[in-house]
Amino acid sequence: MSGPILQLRDVSLSFRGIKALNALSFEVACGEICALIGPNGAGKSSLLNIINGVYRADSGSVTFNGEQFIRIRPAHAAHLGVGRTFQHNALFRHLSVLDNVLAGLIRHSRTTLVEHAFGIGRDRRETREFNRWADEIIGFLDLTGHRDTVVGTLPYGVQKRVDLARALVGRPSLLLLDEPMAGMNQDEKSEMSRLILGTNARLGTTIVLIEHDMSVVMGLSHHVVVLDYGRKVGDGSPEQVRKNPDVIAAYLGTAH
Amino acid sequence: MSAIGTETIEGFGPSGVTAQSTRDRLRAGSVGVLLAALASIPLVANDYWLNAVLIPFLIMSLTALGLNLLMGYAGQASLGSGGFMSVGAYATYNLLLRLPELPLPVSLLLGGIISGLVGVVAGLPSLRIKGFYLVASTLATQFLLEWLFNQYGWFSNYSTSSSISAPRLAFLGHDLSSPAGRYLLTLATVVVVTAVAARLVRSQTGRTWMAIRDMDTAASVIGIPVSAGKLKAFFVSSLVIGIAGALWAFAYLGTVDARSFNLDRSFQIMFAIIIGGMGSIRGNFLGAAFMIFLPIQLDHLGSGVFGGAVDPGQLENFQKALFGALIVWFLIKEPRGLAALLSRAWTQLVSRINR
């Protein structure tokens, strides 16, 4: 784990006068798993949306891989290497698992409409290459049995894994996971934890995730950032955060 | 993708490989037989069948294909199809008229490309709006194009009547003006365009379209070029519809007439893909068959049963109502269209045989 891959400086965001994020600063080190925790409405999802350009921060700056920006388009963030999964399912539901994963590679495509229409030029080679990459990730995330199934018909837990595969296939250097275990049972959660740890360890992907389940967070992350009403109330290792009185008051102390 | 590539990647275990390649071979074989049958139809069918049934059916299938690429695959609803048909027809007419040295297929293709470019301009609003609002803006395109071709005489070579006769159709020294010649020209065009479109929807481009259709916000977040994808869909769709419009004028009507490319035509094409099956290549032919054959059958049925006892105007209205009722019934019964209905029936049949 070396220097920071992501730095946020005094990031603020408000919706119609309501502060969602208030002068927030923190860093994510390269290669770590960083968890964002906090009660509902603390601004966690908004923060992810700023990092990959869905929202624009009112003030402050985001530095990713040494490149500083305040406003970035989602597509550009994806090209820079920011991958993303979604809290609510955002898969292409009429497409098969393979096609969903392949869609995650479209931004790497170098072929044109005419090449696609007639199967000429670089199209065939690129298709073979992309299929190989997609199948690697599908195997890596234990989705081989579902490869040709239309995703809309799959169980929720499997769909979450497809979402992860779609984000991962483009080999992002930073992966943002928005509640990857929401709505899962205990078995599915431990399976997903295993896959996230495996992604981090074997592919070296830096991961920022939002999660509510404290046992999952403590078991998974190297670094925890605690948000409450748009402010940062805790930042450190899981042990440090667990002992922080402000955090206990704001979040852990309340009955959940 | 080459056949070898498909097998090595898709085949998990030997049984998968054989099932895959057998199915491919079966499909290729049945397509071949179908094409041979279609190409030999002029030997047996009379001119009425070619002129009034088969030619319009094939062209309607082609327009449906064009709209399906845009609406069924890329999820962008349009009521401008009639307008794009007229662009293709007038563009090809002017190419045949002013550049007679161009071979017919080149004129057809160029006419289609011009229609495609007009489609790109008409598709610009789709970058900002969707759904009903986009339908309204394509409707405006439809009316604008109708007005344009009526207003400016240049497009119809300053012909005094509202319809203009089509130039002679010939390719490689063969006269294609006979019913059989026009049928074969239409068939060849439909086969080639369908083959290319079928390739396209399985390619990266098709995947881009379907991703935009299913979830455009997620598509842009994972780096799919959404705006370019939409405009490409408008281009290819209008290109195909433009070629179909030129065929409608030259191979079916024999005249270029803006009135045959009105809003009714746009609706007819939209119904064809809704009934046939959105996001299905096969569905276009099924939907077109429904739109062309059923009214003819209803017509025969009506005149057979009532035999002049009922006012023909009334009968026609009744047919329209019945036709509309059938469309509604279909949509309730199977929202994914005839293509889905047929593939379900096929799976049931296969499982019954295997049992």
Side-chain angles (χ1 to χ4, degrees), chain B residues 66-146:
Chain B
L67 182 62
N68 216 330
L69 294 176
L70 182 66
M71 201 169 147
Y73 285 94
Q76 311 297 307
S78 161
L79 272 177
S81 314
F84 299 130
M85 283 179 89
S86 65
V87 175
Y90 279 101
T92 308
Y93 170 76
N94 280 290
L95 286 164
L96 291 172
L97 188 76
R98 293 164 210 277
L99 298 167
E101 60 276 12
L102 285 180
L104 181 60
V106 175
S107 302
L108 266 180
L109 182 64
L110 284 177
I113 288 173
I114 291 170
S115 171
L117 294 175
V118 173
V120 171
V121 176
L124 286 173
S126 74
L127 307 183
R128 294 277 166 193
I129 54 179
K130 45 184 158 184
F132 284 119
Y133 301 96
L134 183 61
V135 172
S137 93
T138 58
L139 196 61
T141 306
Q142 168 75 34
F143 290 139
L144 183 76
L145 289 170
E146 274 183 47

Coordinates of all heavy atoms in Angstrom, one line a residue, chain B residues 66-146:
Chain B
G66 N -35.9 -1.6 -39.9 CA -35.3 -0.3 -39.7 C -35.7 0.3 -38.3 O -34.9 0.7 -37.5
L67 N -37.0 0.3 -38.1 CA -37.6 0.9 -36.9 C -37.2 0.1 -35.7 O -36.9 0.6 -34.6 CB -39.1 1.1 -37.0 CG -39.7 1.8 -35.8 CD1 -39.2 3.2 -35.6 CD2 -41.2 1.8 -35.9
N68 N -37.2 -1.2 -35.9 CA -36.9 -2.1 -34.7 C -35.5 -1.9 -34.2 O -35.2 -1.9 -33.0 CB -37.0 -3.6 -35.2 CG -37.6 -4.4 -34.0 OD1 -37.4 -4.1 -32.9 ND2 -38.3 -5.5 -34.4
L69 N -34.5 -1.6 -35.1 CA -33.2 -1.3 -34.7 C -33.2 -0.1 -33.7 O -32.5 -0.1 -32.7 CB -32.3 -1.0 -35.9 CG -32.0 -2.2 -36.8 CD1 -31.2 -1.7 -38.0 CD2 -31.3 -3.3 -36.1
L70 N -34.0 0.9 -34.1 CA -34.0 2.1 -33.3 C -34.8 1.9 -32.0 O -34.4 2.3 -30.9 CB -34.6 3.3 -34.1 CG -34.7 4.6 -33.5 CD1 -33.3 5.2 -33.2 CD2 -35.5 5.6 -34.3
M71 N -36.0 1.4 -32.2 CA -37.0 1.3 -31.1 C -36.9 0.1 -30.3 O -36.9 0.1 -29.0 CB -38.4 1.4 -31.7 CG -39.4 1.9 -30.7 SD -41.0 2.3 -31.6 CE -42.1 1.8 -30.4
G72 N -36.7 -1.1 -30.9 CA -36.7 -2.4 -30.2 C -35.3 -2.6 -29.6 O -35.2 -3.2 -28.5
Y73 N -34.2 -2.2 -30.3 CA -32.9 -2.4 -29.8 C -32.3 -1.3 -29.0 O -31.8 -1.4 -27.9 CB -31.9 -2.8 -30.9 CG -32.2 -4.2 -31.4 CD1 -33.0 -4.5 -32.5 CD2 -31.6 -5.3 -30.8 CE1 -33.3 -5.8 -33.0 CE2 -31.8 -6.6 -31.2 CZ -32.7 -6.8 -32.3 OH -32.9 -8.1 -32.7
A74 N -32.5 0.0 -29.5 CA -31.9 1.1 -28.8 C -32.9 1.8 -27.9 O -32.5 2.7 -27.2 CB -31.3 2.1 -29.9
G75 N -34.1 1.4 -28.0 CA -35.1 2.0 -27.1 C -35.5 3.4 -27.3 O -36.0 4.1 -26.4
Q76 N -35.3 3.9 -28.6 CA -35.7 5.3 -28.9 C -37.0 5.2 -29.8 O -36.9 4.9 -31.0 CB -34.6 6.0 -29.7 CG -33.2 5.9 -29.0 CD -33.2 6.5 -27.6 OE1 -33.6 7.7 -27.5 NE2 -32.8 5.7 -26.6
A77 N -38.1 5.6 -29.2 CA -39.4 5.5 -30.0 C -39.4 6.6 -31.1 O -39.0 7.7 -30.8 CB -40.6 5.7 -29.0
S78 N -39.9 6.2 -32.2 CA -40.0 7.2 -33.3 C -41.3 7.0 -34.1 O -41.7 5.9 -34.4 CB -38.8 7.0 -34.2 OG -39.1 7.6 -35.5
L79 N -41.9 8.1 -34.5 CA -43.0 8.1 -35.4 C -42.6 8.8 -36.7 O -43.5 9.3 -37.4 CB -44.2 8.8 -34.8 CG -45.2 7.9 -34.0 CD1 -46.3 8.8 -33.4 CD2 -45.8 6.8 -34.8
G80 N -41.3 8.8 -37.0 CA -40.9 9.5 -38.2 C -40.6 8.6 -39.4 O -40.1 9.0 -40.4
S81 N -41.0 7.3 -39.3 CA -40.6 6.3 -40.3 C -41.1 6.7 -41.7 O -40.3 6.5 -42.6 CB -41.1 4.9 -39.9 OG -40.9 4.7 -38.5
G82 N -42.3 7.1 -41.8 CA -42.8 7.5 -43.1 C -42.0 8.6 -43.7 O -41.7 8.5 -44.9
G83 N -41.6 9.6 -42.9 CA -40.8 10.6 -43.4 C -39.4 10.1 -43.9 O -39.0 10.6 -44.9
F84 N -38.8 9.2 -43.1 CA -37.5 8.7 -43.6 C -37.7 7.9 -44.9 O -36.8 7.9 -45.7 CB -36.8 7.9 -42.5 CG -36.5 8.7 -41.3 CD1 -36.9 8.2 -40.0 CD2 -35.9 9.9 -41.4 CE1 -36.7 9.0 -38.9 CE2 -35.6 10.7 -40.2 CZ -36.0 10.2 -39.0
M85 N -38.8 7.2 -45.0 CA -39.1 6.5 -46.2 C -39.1 7.4 -47.4 O -38.6 7.2 -48.5 CB -40.4 5.7 -46.2 CG -40.4 4.4 -45.4 SD -42.1 3.7 -45.3 CE -42.0 2.6 -46.8
S86 N -39.8 8.6 -47.2 CA -39.9 9.6 -48.3 C -38.5 10.2 -48.6 O -38.2 10.4 -49.8 CB -40.9 10.6 -47.9 OG -40.5 11.4 -46.9
V87 N -37.7 10.4 -47.6 CA -36.3 10.9 -47.9 C -35.6 9.9 -48.8 O -35.0 10.3 -49.8 CB -35.5 11.1 -46.6 CG1 -34.1 11.5 -46.9 CG2 -36.2 12.2 -45.7
G88 N -35.6 8.6 -48.4 CA -35.0 7.6 -49.2 C -35.5 7.5 -50.6 O -34.8 7.5 -51.6
A89 N -36.8 7.6 -50.8 CA -37.5 7.6 -52.1 C -37.1 8.8 -52.9 O -36.6 8.6 -54.1 CB -39.0 7.5 -51.9
Y90 N -37.2 10.0 -52.4 CA -36.9 11.2 -53.2 C -35.4 11.2 -53.5 O -35.0 11.7 -54.5 CB -37.3 12.4 -52.5 CG -38.8 12.7 -52.7 CD1 -39.8 12.4 -51.7 CD2 -39.3 13.2 -53.9 CE1 -41.1 12.6 -51.9 CE2 -40.6 13.5 -54.1 CZ -41.5 13.1 -53.1 OH -42.9 13.4 -53.3
A91 N -34.5 10.9 -52.5 CA -33.1 10.9 -52.7 C -32.7 9.9 -53.8 O -32.0 10.3 -54.7 CB -32.4 10.6 -51.4
T92 N -33.2 8.7 -53.8 CA -32.9 7.7 -54.8 C -33.4 8.2 -56.2 O -32.8 8.0 -57.2 CB -33.5 6.4 -54.4 OG1 -33.1 6.0 -53.1 CG2 -33.0 5.3 -55.3
Y93 N -34.7 8.7 -56.1 CA -35.2 9.2 -57.4 C -34.3 10.3 -58.0 O -34.0 10.2 -59.2 CB -36.6 9.9 -57.1 CG -37.2 10.6 -58.3 CD1 -37.7 10.0 -59.4 CD2 -37.2 12.0 -58.3 CE1 -38.3 10.7 -60.4 CE2 -37.7 12.7 -59.4 CZ -38.2 12.0 -60.4 OH -38.7 12.7 -61.5
N94 N -33.9 11.2 -57.2 CA -33.0 12.3 -57.8 C -31.6 11.7 -58.2 O -31.1 12.2 -59.2 CB -32.8 13.4 -56.8 CG -34.0 14.3 -56.8 OD1 -34.2 15.1 -57.7 ND2 -34.9 14.2 -55.8
L95 N -31.1 10.7 -57.5 CA -29.9 10.1 -57.9 C -30.0 9.4 -59.3 O -29.2 9.5 -60.2 CB -29.4 9.1 -56.9 CG -28.8 9.8 -55.6 CD1 -28.7 8.7 -54.5 CD2 -27.4 10.3 -55.9
L96 N -31.1 8.7 -59.4 CA -31.4 7.9 -60.7 C -31.6 8.9 -61.8 O -31.1 8.7 -62.9 CB -32.6 7.1 -60.5 CG -32.5 5.8 -59.6 CD1 -33.9 5.2 -59.5 CD2 -31.5 4.8 -60.2
L97 N -32.2 10.1 -61.5 CA -32.5 11.1 -62.5 C -31.3 11.9 -62.9 O -31.0 12.1 -64.1 CB -33.6 12.0 -61.9 CG -34.2 13.0 -62.8 CD1 -35.2 12.4 -63.7 CD2 -34.9 14.1 -62.0
R98 N -30.5 12.3 -61.9 CA -29.5 13.2 -62.2 C -28.1 12.6 -62.4 O -27.2 13.1 -63.0 CB -29.3 14.3 -61.0 CG -30.6 15.2 -61.0 CD -30.7 15.9 -59.7 NE -32.1 16.2 -59.3 CZ -32.8 17.2 -59.8 NH1 -32.2 18.1 -60.6 NH2 -34.0 17.4 -59.5
L99 N -27.9 11.4 -61.8 CA -26.7 10.6 -62.0 C -27.0 9.2 -62.6 O -26.8 8.2 -61.9 CB -25.9 10.5 -60.7 CG -25.5 11.8 -60.0 CD1 -25.0 11.5 -58.6 CD2 -24.3 12.4 -60.8
P100 N -27.6 9.2 -63.8 CA -28.0 7.9 -64.3 C -26.9 6.9 -64.5 O -27.2 5.7 -64.7 CB -28.7 8.3 -65.6 CG -28.2 9.6 -66.0 CD -27.7 10.3 -64.8
E101 N -25.7 7.4 -64.5 CA -24.6 6.4 -64.8 C -24.3 5.5 -63.5 O -23.6 4.5 -63.6 CB -23.3 7.1 -65.2 CG -22.7 8.1 -64.2 CD -23.4 9.5 -64.4 OE1 -24.5 9.6 -65.1 OE2 -22.9 10.5 -63.8
L102 N -24.8 5.9 -62.4 CA -24.6 5.1 -61.2 C -25.4 3.8 -61.3 O -26.5 3.8 -61.7 CB -25.1 5.8 -59.9 CG -24.2 7.0 -59.4 CD1 -24.9 7.6 -58.2 CD2 -22.8 6.5 -59.1
P103 N -24.8 2.7 -60.9 CA -25.6 1.4 -60.9 C -26.7 1.5 -59.8 O -26.5 2.2 -58.8 CB -24.6 0.3 -60.5 CG -23.2 1.0 -60.4 CD -23.4 2.5 -60.5
L104 N -27.8 0.8 -60.1 CA -28.9 0.8 -59.2 C -28.6 0.6 -57.7 O -29.1 1.3 -56.9 CB -30.0 -0.1 -59.7 CG -31.3 -0.2 -59.0 CD1 -32.0 1.2 -59.0 CD2 -32.2 -1.3 -59.6
P105 N -27.8 -0.5 -57.4 CA -27.6 -0.7 -56.0 C -26.9 0.5 -55.3 O -27.1 0.8 -54.1 CB -26.7 -2.0 -56.0 CG -26.9 -2.6 -57.3 CD -27.2 -1.5 -58.2
V106 N -26.0 1.1 -56.1 CA -25.3 2.3 -55.5 C -26.2 3.4 -55.2 O -26.2 4.0 -54.1 CB -24.1 2.7 -56.4 CG1 -23.5 4.0 -55.9 CG2 -23.1 1.6 -56.6
S107 N -27.2 3.7 -56.2 CA -28.1 4.7 -56.0 C -29.0 4.4 -54.7 O -29.3 5.3 -53.9 CB -29.0 4.9 -57.2 OG -28.3 5.1 -58.3
L108 N -29.4 3.1 -54.6 CA -30.2 2.7 -53.5 C -29.5 3.0 -52.2 O -30.0 3.5 -51.2 CB -30.6 1.2 -53.6 CG -31.9 0.8 -54.2 CD1 -32.0 -0.7 -54.2 CD2 -33.1 1.4 -53.5
L109 N -28.2 2.6 -52.1 CA -27.4 2.7 -50.9 C -27.2 4.2 -50.6 O -27.4 4.6 -49.4 CB -26.1 2.0 -51.1 CG -25.2 2.0 -49.9 CD1 -25.8 1.3 -48.7 CD2 -23.8 1.4 -50.2
L110 N -26.9 5.0 -51.6 CA -26.7 6.4 -51.4 C -27.9 7.1 -50.9 O -27.9 7.9 -50.0 CB -26.2 7.1 -52.6 CG -24.7 6.9 -53.0 CD1 -24.4 7.5 -54.3 CD2 -23.8 7.4 -51.9
G111 N -29.1 6.7 -51.5 CA -30.4 7.2 -51.0 C -30.6 6.9 -49.6 O -31.0 7.7 -48.8
G112 N -30.2 5.6 -49.2 CA -30.3 5.2 -47.8 C -29.4 6.0 -46.9 O -29.8 6.4 -45.8
I113 N -28.2 6.3 -47.4 CA -27.2 7.0 -46.5 C -27.7 8.5 -46.3 O -27.7 9.0 -45.2 CB -25.8 7.0 -47.2 CG1 -25.2 5.6 -47.0 CG2 -24.9 8.1 -46.5 CD1 -23.9 5.4 -47.8
I114 N -28.3 9.1 -47.4 CA -28.9 10.4 -47.2 C -30.0 10.4 -46.2 O -30.0 11.2 -45.3 CB -29.4 10.9 -48.6 CG1 -28.2 11.2 -49.5 CG2 -30.2 12.2 -48.4 CD1 -28.5 11.5 -50.9
S115 N -30.8 9.4 -46.3 CA -31.9 9.2 -45.3 C -31.3 9.1 -43.9 O -31.8 9.6 -42.9 CB -32.8 8.1 -45.7 OG -33.7 7.8 -44.6
G116 N -30.2 8.3 -43.8 CA -29.6 8.1 -42.5 C -29.1 9.4 -41.9 O -29.2 9.6 -40.7
L117 N -28.5 10.2 -42.8 CA -28.0 11.5 -42.3 C -29.1 12.4 -41.8 O -29.0 13.1 -40.7 CB -27.2 12.2 -43.4 CG -25.9 11.4 -43.8 CD1 -25.2 12.1 -44.9 CD2 -24.9 11.3 -42.6
V118 N -30.2 12.4 -42.5 CA -31.4 13.1 -42.1 C -31.9 12.6 -40.7 O -32.2 13.3 -39.8 CB -32.5 13.1 -43.1 CG1 -33.8 13.7 -42.6 CG2 -32.1 13.8 -44.4
G119 N -31.8 11.2 -40.6 CA -32.1 10.6 -39.3 C -31.3 11.0 -38.2 O -31.7 11.2 -37.0
V120 N -30.0 11.2 -38.4 CA -29.1 11.7 -37.4 C -29.5 13.1 -36.9 O -29.6 13.3 -35.6 CB -27.6 11.8 -37.9 CG1 -26.7 12.5 -36.9 CG2 -27.1 10.4 -38.1
V121 N -29.9 14.0 -37.8 CA -30.3 15.3 -37.4 C -31.6 15.2 -36.6 O -31.8 15.8 -35.6 CB -30.5 16.2 -38.7 CG1 -31.1 17.5 -38.3 CG2 -29.2 16.4 -39.4
A122 N -32.5 14.3 -37.1 CA -33.8 14.1 -36.4 C -33.6 13.5 -35.1 O -34.4 13.6 -34.2 CB -34.7 13.2 -37.3
G123 N -32.5 12.8 -34.9 CA -32.2 12.1 -33.6 C -31.5 13.0 -32.6 O -31.4 12.6 -31.4
L124 N -31.1 14.2 -33.0 CA -30.4 15.0 -32.0 C -31.2 15.3 -30.8 O -30.7 15.3 -29.7 CB -30.0 16.4 -32.7 CG -28.8 16.3 -33.7 CD1 -28.6 17.6 -34.4 CD2 -27.6 15.9 -33.0
P125 N -32.5 15.5 -30.9 CA -33.3 15.7 -29.6 C -33.2 14.6 -28.6 O -33.4 14.8 -27.4 CB -34.7 15.9 -30.1 CG -34.6 16.4 -31.5 CD -33.4 15.7 -32.1
S126 N -32.9 13.4 -29.2 CA -32.9 12.2 -28.3 C -31.7 12.3 -27.3 O -31.7 11.6 -26.3 CB -32.7 10.9 -29.1 OG -31.4 10.8 -29.6
L127 N -30.8 13.2 -27.5 CA -29.7 13.4 -26.5 C -30.2 14.1 -25.3 O -29.6 14.0 -24.2 CB -28.6 14.2 -27.2 CG -28.1 13.7 -28.5 CD1 -26.9 14.5 -29.0 CD2 -27.6 12.2 -28.4
R128 N -31.4 14.8 -25.4 CA -31.9 15.5 -24.2 C -33.2 15.0 -23.7 O -33.5 15.1 -22.5 CB -32.1 17.0 -24.6 CG -30.9 17.7 -25.0 CD -30.2 18.3 -23.7 NE -28.9 18.7 -24.0 CZ -28.0 19.0 -23.1 NH1 -28.3 18.8 -21.8 NH2 -26.8 19.3 -23.4
I129 N -34.0 14.4 -24.6 CA -35.3 14.0 -24.2 C -35.6 12.5 -24.5 O -34.9 11.9 -25.3 CB -36.4 14.8 -24.8 CG1 -36.3 14.8 -26.4 CG2 -36.4 16.3 -24.3 CD1 -37.3 15.6 -27.1
K130 N -36.5 11.9 -23.8 CA -36.9 10.5 -24.1 C -38.4 10.3 -24.0 O -39.1 11.1 -23.6 CB -36.0 9.5 -23.3 CG -35.9 9.8 -21.9 CD -35.0 8.8 -21.2 CE -34.4 9.3 -19.9 NZ -33.4 8.3 -19.4
G131 N -38.8 9.0 -24.3 CA -40.1 8.6 -24.2 C -41.1 9.4 -25.1 O -40.8 9.7 -26.2
F132 N -42.2 9.9 -24.4 CA -43.3 10.6 -25.2 C -42.7 11.8 -25.8 O -43.2 12.2 -26.9 CB -44.4 10.9 -24.3 CG -45.3 9.7 -24.0 CD1 -45.4 9.3 -22.7 CD2 -45.9 9.0 -25.0 CE1 -46.2 8.1 -22.4 CE2 -46.7 7.9 -24.7 CZ -46.8 7.5 -23.4
Y133 N -41.8 12.5 -25.2 CA -41.3 13.8 -25.7 C -40.5 13.5 -27.0 O -40.6 14.3 -27.9 CB -40.4 14.5 -24.7 CG -41.2 14.8 -23.4 CD1 -41.2 13.9 -22.3 CD2 -42.1 15.9 -23.3 CE1 -41.9 14.1 -21.2 CE2 -42.8 16.1 -22.2 CZ -42.7 15.2 -21.1 OH -43.5 15.5 -20.0
L134 N -39.8 12.4 -27.0 CA -39.1 12.1 -28.2 C -40.0 11.7 -29.3 O -39.8 12.1 -30.5 CB -38.1 10.9 -27.9 CG -37.2 10.5 -29.1 CD1 -36.3 11.7 -29.5 CD2 -36.3 9.3 -28.7
V135 N -41.1 11.0 -29.0 CA -42.1 10.6 -30.0 C -42.6 11.9 -30.6 O -42.8 12.0 -31.8 CB -43.2 9.8 -29.3 CG1 -44.4 9.6 -30.3 CG2 -42.7 8.4 -28.9
A136 N -42.9 12.9 -29.7 CA -43.5 14.2 -30.3 C -42.5 14.8 -31.2 O -42.8 15.4 -32.3 CB -43.8 15.1 -29.1
S137 N -41.2 14.8 -30.9 CA -40.2 15.5 -31.8 C -40.0 14.7 -33.1 O -39.8 15.3 -34.1 CB -38.9 15.7 -31.0 OG -38.0 14.6 -31.3
T138 N -40.1 13.3 -33.1 CA -40.0 12.6 -34.3 C -41.3 12.8 -35.2 O -41.3 12.8 -36.4 CB -39.9 11.1 -34.1 OG1 -41.0 10.6 -33.3 CG2 -38.6 10.8 -33.4
L139 N -42.4 13.1 -34.5 CA -43.7 13.4 -35.2 C -43.5 14.7 -35.9 O -43.9 14.9 -37.1 CB -44.8 13.6 -34.1 CG -46.2 13.6 -34.6 CD1 -46.5 12.3 -35.3 CD2 -47.1 13.8 -33.4
A140 N -42.8 15.7 -35.3 CA -42.5 17.0 -35.9 C -41.7 16.7 -37.2 O -41.9 17.3 -38.2 CB -41.8 17.9 -35.0
T141 N -40.7 15.8 -37.1 CA -39.9 15.5 -38.3 C -40.7 14.9 -39.4 O -40.6 15.3 -40.5 CB -38.8 14.4 -37.9 OG1 -38.1 14.8 -36.7 CG2 -37.9 14.1 -39.0
Q142 N -41.7 14.0 -39.0 CA -42.6 13.5 -40.0 C -43.3 14.6 -40.8 O -43.3 14.6 -42.0 CB -43.6 12.5 -39.3 CG -44.7 12.1 -40.1 CD -44.3 11.0 -41.1 OE1 -43.5 10.2 -40.9 NE2 -45.0 11.1 -42.3
F143 N -43.9 15.5 -40.0 CA -44.7 16.6 -40.7 C -43.8 17.5 -41.5 O -44.2 17.9 -42.6 CB -45.5 17.4 -39.6 CG -46.6 16.5 -39.0 CD1 -46.9 16.6 -37.7 CD2 -47.4 15.7 -39.8 CE1 -47.9 15.8 -37.1 CE2 -48.4 15.0 -39.3 CZ -48.7 15.0 -37.9
L144 N -42.6 17.8 -40.9 CA -41.7 18.7 -41.6 C -41.3 18.1 -43.0 O -41.3 18.8 -44.0 CB -40.5 18.9 -40.8 CG -39.5 19.9 -41.4 CD1 -40.0 21.3 -41.2 CD2 -38.1 19.7 -40.7
L145 N -41.0 16.8 -43.0 CA -40.6 16.2 -44.2 C -41.7 16.1 -45.2 O -41.5 16.4 -46.4 CB -40.0 14.8 -43.9 CG -38.7 14.7 -43.2 CD1 -38.3 13.3 -42.8 CD2 -37.6 15.3 -44.1
E146 N -42.9 15.8 -44.8 CA -44.1 15.8 -45.7 C -44.2 17.1 -46.3 O -44.4 17.2 -47.6 CB -45.3 15.4 -44.9 CG -45.6 14.0 -44.8 CD -46.9 13.7 -44.0 OE1 -47.9 14.4 -44.4 OE2 -47.0 12.9 -43.1

